[in-house]
Amino acid sequence: MTLWSWTLRTCAVWPLNSPRHTLATYSVSDAVATYYLYMKYVHPFIFALCTIIPMEPDEVLRKGSGTLCEALLMVQAFHANIIFPNKQEQEFNKLTDDGHVLDAETYVGGHVEALESGVFRSDIPCRFRMNPAAFDFLLQRVEKTMRHAIEEEEKVPVEQATNFQEVCEQIKTKLTSLKDVPNRIECPLIYHLDVGAMYPNIILTNRLQPSAIVDEATCAACDFNKPGATCQRKMAWQWRGEFMPASRSEYHRIQHQLESEKFPPLFPEGPARAFHELSREEQAKYEKRRLADYCRKAYKKIHMTKVEERLTTICQRENSFYVDTVRAFRDRRYEFKGLHKVWKKKLSAAVEVGDASEVKRCKNMEILYDSLQLAHKCILNSFYGYVMRKGARWYSMEMAGIVCFTGANIITQARELIEQIGRPLELDTDGIWCVLPNSFPENFVIKTTNVKKPKLTISYPGAMLNIMVKEGFTNHQYQELTEPSSLTYVTRSENSIFFEVDGPYLAMILPASKEEGKKLKKRYAVFNEDGSLAELKGFEVKRRGELQLIKIFQSSVFEAFLKGSTLEEVYASVAKVADYWLDVLYSKAANMPDSELFELISENRSMSRKLEDYGEQKSTSISTAKRLAEFLGDQMVKDAGLSCRYIISRKPEGSPVTERAIPLAIFQAEPTVRKHFLRKWLKSSSLQDFDIRTILDWDYYIERLGSAIQKIITIPAALQQVKNPVPRVKHPDWLHKKLLEKNDIYKQKKISELFVLEGKRQIVMAQASENSLSLCTPDMEDFGLTKPYHSTVPVATKRKRVWESQKESQDITLTVPWQEVLGQPPSLGTTQEEWLVWLQFHKKKWQLQAQQRLARRKKQRLESAEDMPRLGAIREGPATGLGSFLRRTARSIMDLPWQIIQISETRQAGLFRLWAIIGSDLHCIKLSIPRVFYVNQRVAKAEDGPSYRKVNRALPRSNIVYNLYEYSVPEDMYQEHINEINTELSAPDIEGVYETQVPLLFRALVQLGCVCVVNKQLARQLSGWEAETFALEHLEMRSLAQFSYLEPGSIRHIYLYHHTQGHKALFGVFIPSQRRASVFVLDTVRSNQMPGLSALYSAEHSLLLDKVGPNLLPPPKHTFEVRAETNLKTICRAIQRFLLAYKEERRGPTLIAIQSSWELCRLTSEIPVLEEFPLVPVRVADKISYAVLDWQRHGARRMIRHYLNLDICLSQAFEMSRYFHIPVGNLPEDISTFGSDLFFARHLQRHNHLLWLSPTSRPDLGGKEADDNRLVMEFDDRATVEINNSGCYSTVCVELDIQNLAVNTILQSHHVNDMEGAGSMGISFDVIQQASLEDMVTGNQAASALASYDETALCSSTFRILKSMVVGWVKEITQYHNIYADNQVMHFYRWLQSPCSLLHDPALHRTLHNMMKKLFLQLIAEFKRLGSSVIYANFNRIILCTKKRRIEDALAYVEYITNSKTPRQGRKLRMRRTMKRMRRKRRTWGNLRLRTYWRTTGTFYSSCHRQPLARATSL
């Protein structure tokens, strides 16, 4: 029986005067009202939905919009012959890319922001501060904007517009007036600029649909994926995830722990269950609960939030059934909206005529089309929200994120434009509320010759935003299928996103927040020009259950905002409404009946759950429900949906508001019951006055009303510089303080307001007079000119701190001639520009000369002051004598940088000869290098001794540091007492002795480099005195960023050529500066068969002149002296005399470049004078045979060619010295291996690590290397991983050559373990626990160290240092294109595996090799995932079957899989980075090369013995 029939029968049976009849009458009226409400509002909408959704009305009525949308999509997919996807299933405990457990993930939604607060009315002026540059931008685009509005929006050719230019001129006139006066006070135009159907139009414009969200694997297998294909549209979106801070390894440990525990049974009294017996949902619940407890204790937090921008590929050729469905609904809705407007006009016409039947018919049609367009709007908006619905068949978080991110970008760009030409008030997800100046161009009528549209009304604010959207958000990759049979697509541009203009409006009211720095979003009231309320959003008046007092206040206060003609009058009118309701509360509603008071102050809240489900929670509605249960019974409040009406009492005083909620029903109970419960709830047994006015907490209601008044009236008034219109409601403290600071005339100014930065003023002046001369030393011709304007504001000048290195470089500038600083002066010229350039140069020269004169005078004064006899001292002699010269020389050695050319050994152990250019002179300085080694002993010494001190260093292989002492002993003493030292260091309490095998020269090269300076403390001690010998610790290395090294012209060179074969030899000494050379021939007979060397030299010189240019060649003409001898000693003595004669000429700093087949030590023993020059070996292979008749002619030609290439060789040697920071005379033969040793040693020392350097294949591990059998274990790195799948492959196959796999493994080492599912090196079990800072200070590192027997763990810290070195090389290659860093990378793995390397460590080699295996296997897995079949693969090459029939498709496929940049998962991203880097090296060091085999079918044969792969011929 229905409610309707039951009430009718009840009314007929019961008497008229009975209470049951009254109840039945009420039920009848309620049923009738419900029926009419349903028929007017619900039934047409359900009917309209049933015309769209293939369901019955009852099903449509009870199902949600997401379910209805999915039913519709299933129908459309069925008609498009598309298989339904499975429902989206939840993935439990999903991990992020870096190994954290995701608690929730979503996308960043639309951007909503409140920008201003207050009242804005179109008849009250407000202030505008606009940007003139924005109006220039708009002026340049007026024609383009109007043309787009006419052609794209109205679909009318612009040629049909008759007054196009006239309207454009009107717009330009208004924009120009706004540009001329950008700051103005003017009445505003209040607009709402929103995008019509923004989300559906974004979907249509970009061809967005869940099935079109593809990854690189899908694109790699697609036949349309070819070079130049435009079907992949990359779009950005923002992902936001909440995850637990625990790492992957910690999560795995918790899983292992849970696997060993028991859990409650599935049924009562059943057996306990193991972890694997639980369902996956239960497992995830226990894992997350245990992980949350762990994070709470270990990390002091449970969740971390991360937002990142991601790129997703949208396929533009995917079947478009989803997009077509959205487009059909959008177009149909536009059609129904148009028909709704038509019938609305017909209804107005029928009302004017007075035809009742026509009015009824028009009303029905208007309701019909309004319901249809609303139904379509509901489903249309569901297409966006449906894709994020749990369990949806077409689920796609990426699509939802792209839609929101694109919409937010559109609104953000609109805001940026509005901010420069007006004032934005509120940002919504699909629109922007703003005010524009009243003189801003509005609506313009375009007259056309079009029959259907003779007049077009164009809104310029909307048109200017639409052209912005077109330029920034048009999809130029939109592809449409034109020929299904041949799969032919046509690419075109698509953009259906258009702004719509609503307004202008009369007024807009935006409330303010009570908290500082915050705004209230989505809360405003808007009025039409006729005074009617256009929109009311977010206020309590629209909410159910709010305090009725607040609702009544808000419903009456908004209309008061329309009164008055100024802001002060407006706020005065709304203050009257506020004061009225404040008076009611302050008077305790003395003149108001109790029934009205109850209605005014009561609040009504509904409980969505049962009372018992809330547990220990506290709220006013829960307290009300519990108290209702006390006097009405538990049965009345047991169900969900209970409506709680209550008031707030004053008692019990001091209790929270949640405990002072009194049910309103108690006041309708019997007096005895009311008194009993009120005394109980108010906790006042002596209470006698039960009047509602004495029970109420009036202060609470005054505060509630005051809060609403603050938000709507007082705070917005203060923000609009209006005095508080309601003084009884005080401003918040932060606002009061802000107003006091703003109005304080005695406020102290900020220091930034008192000064103007000089740098900025100089920029302005430079822009004003760009071509004028720069300010420098005043010239005579400049007197009398107009002086530049000087601001009266004091100017703050920044003084840049000059460091010591810079100061020294400035001192060098002041000591060299001005030609070397400024170069050669320009010619005077004939034009004014050339005169200005000449004058500018000479002004700089005069300024430099003046500075040099001042510097010389200052230096003379200092020298004279130093030479003055001190009290009690003996005068040393005149300042101009030899002593003063020696002191100046010694001072230059102490103060200036040393450019080291060579460090060479002497006959005394530990003493080296250091050749360096200091200033402009060449010095030979004795350098003492001690033997430094480290002793790690278990028992600490009492105190430091003269030759040792306690230090903190990291030991090789992470050995435990007990008490580490650094010994520094002179080398001669060490060699003399080496046996005693070894005996003493063999004591049982000594754990190890380190760095005993480090060559002294290598230590000097590591610590000094090629540029060094004397320690400042030593320089002050020895200032003015000459030091004969310097110790290594007295010198400090300097970088080439501070000082230069061997710049061109700083040193001369002599070339010494020597080549010998058997009894024949050829010597040549060339002096380029003197253009002469001496050639010596050694043979068994004294026969001079040399050709004319001058002619030969000129011929070879002219051949190279065009290739390399004159700058890299010796002078063109030389004088040659040829001698033939039969005795080697005679030739050596002749060369000795030749070089001694050159030395006596004192021609300045000179080095000797030696190219000889002998070692330098043998050559210097034969020619002792060579020890008096710095020697630079030229390591060029000289392949020539002297076993021919005319060997002298061949030898002479080869020698001259070597001499002509000498400058190129030396310049390359200097560049290598600068990069490796090695003296040019100490460059080794294998610079790649030695350079890696040098770089690694410096990195280790920088990280406080000891070296394991050893000239043998065993590293120096403190003496334990003899006991480690793993060091002698053979490791064959050639036995690499090999994959071989023999068979016949009928499609195109490609071969990829792989190089530098080791370097890529180093760079991706922190991700290799993550990619295979294990923890990274930072948290894995194969890492030694690092000692704490306290242990390092106290030296008690052995107590906290853990034992580890894994080589990978022992060298983990060293591996990180090695990685930092390689990363530095790669950075220099990518950023600076450094060829020497490129060379180091090329030879890196050769150095690492070579036993001849000084820092060779087999453990490092094995660790890297194992990681290379892992990376290689992951690379193979990635190729398989991308659709390839791996035929053969090893560390050097990979042969893939691409499954493509054409070579072009195969090449495109390989190009794509190696160049793709937007994989969907982090593991794939890192794999793609490796592939991308290997692909990129093809352009730098040839890391990946492609060769295509076999156009059709190829057969690959391979035996089980891993023989070389045989290439098959084409079938």
Side-chain angles (χ1 to χ4, degrees), residues 694-799:
T694 60
I695 294 176
L696 284 176
D697 186 358
W698 292 101
D699 293 336
Y700 167 79
Y701 290 102
I702 291 173
E703 182 184 355
R704 288 284 300 273
L705 179 61
S707 177
I709 294 173
Q710 281 182 331
K711 293 178 183 178
I712 299 176
I713 302 176
T714 61
I715 298 179
L719 296 177
Q720 290 188 303
Q721 286 80 46
V722 176
K723 189 178 179 182
N724 190 351
V726 189
R728 283 186 288 183
V729 179
K730 303 296 183 183
H731 286 318
D733 294 337
W734 64 266
L735 182 60
H736 185 69
K737 180 181 177 182
K738 188 176 180 180
L739 293 176
L740 287 178
E741 290 179 355
K742 192 170 185 178
N743 300 325
D744 188 7
I745 60 175
Y746 300 105
K747 181 179 66 173
Q748 182 179 359
K749 291 185 178 181
K750 297 180 181 178
I751 192 170
S752 59
E753 298 174 358
L754 300 175
F755 296 96
V756 175
L757 189 60
E758 187 180 26
K760 293 183 178 179
R761 190 183 67 168
Q762 289 176 351
I763 292 174
V764 174
M765 292 175 62
Q767 292 175 351
S769 57
E770 187 174 356
N771 297 325
S772 60
L773 293 175
S774 61
L775 296 177
C776 56
T777 307
D779 190 54
M780 182 64 68
E781 289 83 1
D782 295 335
F783 289 110
L785 296 178
T786 304
K787 294 184 179 180
Y789 171 74
H790 295 284
S791 174
T792 57
V793 182
V795 176
T797 305
K798 288 184 178 179
R799 179 176 296 174

Side-chain angles (χ1 to χ4, degrees), residues 853-952:
R853 285 193 297 272
L854 290 175
R856 285 196 294 270
R857 293 170 186 167
K858 183 177 180 181
K859 189 175 181 180
Q860 291 174 0
R861 287 197 302 269
L862 291 175
E863 290 175 355
S864 61
E866 290 178 358
D867 292 336
M868 289 292 291
R870 292 181 294 273
L871 186 63
I874 302 174
R875 185 176 178 87
E876 299 175 358
T880 57
L882 180 60
S884 177
F885 171 76
L886 294 177
R887 283 194 297 272
R888 285 196 299 270
T889 303
R891 189 179 299 114
S892 66
I893 293 176
M894 298 294 175
D895 296 340
L896 298 182
W898 297 8
Q899 302 179 50
I900 306 175
I901 301 176
Q902 185 192 18
I903 302 176
S904 58
E905 297 180 356
T906 62
R907 293 178 177 84
Q908 182 179 349
L911 190 65
F912 289 78
R913 186 183 300 110
L914 186 147
W915 292 94
I917 292 182
I918 305 175
S920 57
D921 299 325
L922 180 64
H923 294 263
C924 181
I925 301 171
K926 295 179 182 179
L927 178 64
S928 174
I929 304 178
R931 173 67 63 175
V932 179
F933 56 92
Y934 297 85
V935 177
N936 186 24
Q937 59 186 50
R938 294 178 174 85
V939 180
K941 294 180 180 291
E943 59 183 6
D944 290 351
S947 60
Y948 62 86
R949 62 188 181 96
K950 192 172 184 179
V951 294
N952 282 317

Side-chain angles (χ1 to χ4, degrees), residues 804 806-816 896:
E804 293 181 357
Q806 298 175 354
K807 195 172 182 180
E808 292 171 356
S809 62
Q810 293 175 3
D811 293 340
I812 296 174
T813 305
L814 296 178
T815 56
V816 299
L896 298 182

Side-chain angles (χ1 to χ4, degrees), residues 316-351:
Q316 299 294 298
R317 294 190 176 184
E318 181 64 33
N319 190 297
S320 60
F321 91 96
Y322 192 97
V323 175
D324 294 341
T325 304
V326 176
R327 181 179 290 105
F329 269 72
R330 184 201 64 179
D331 296 343
R332 208 178 306 160
R333 185 195 173 217
Y334 287 164
E335 180 183 350
F336 289 146
K337 284 183 71 175
L339 292 172
H340 175 260
K341 293 180 180 179
V342 170
W343 283 101
K344 195 172 184 180
K345 291 179 181 179
K346 290 183 179 181
L347 176 62
S348 301
V351 171

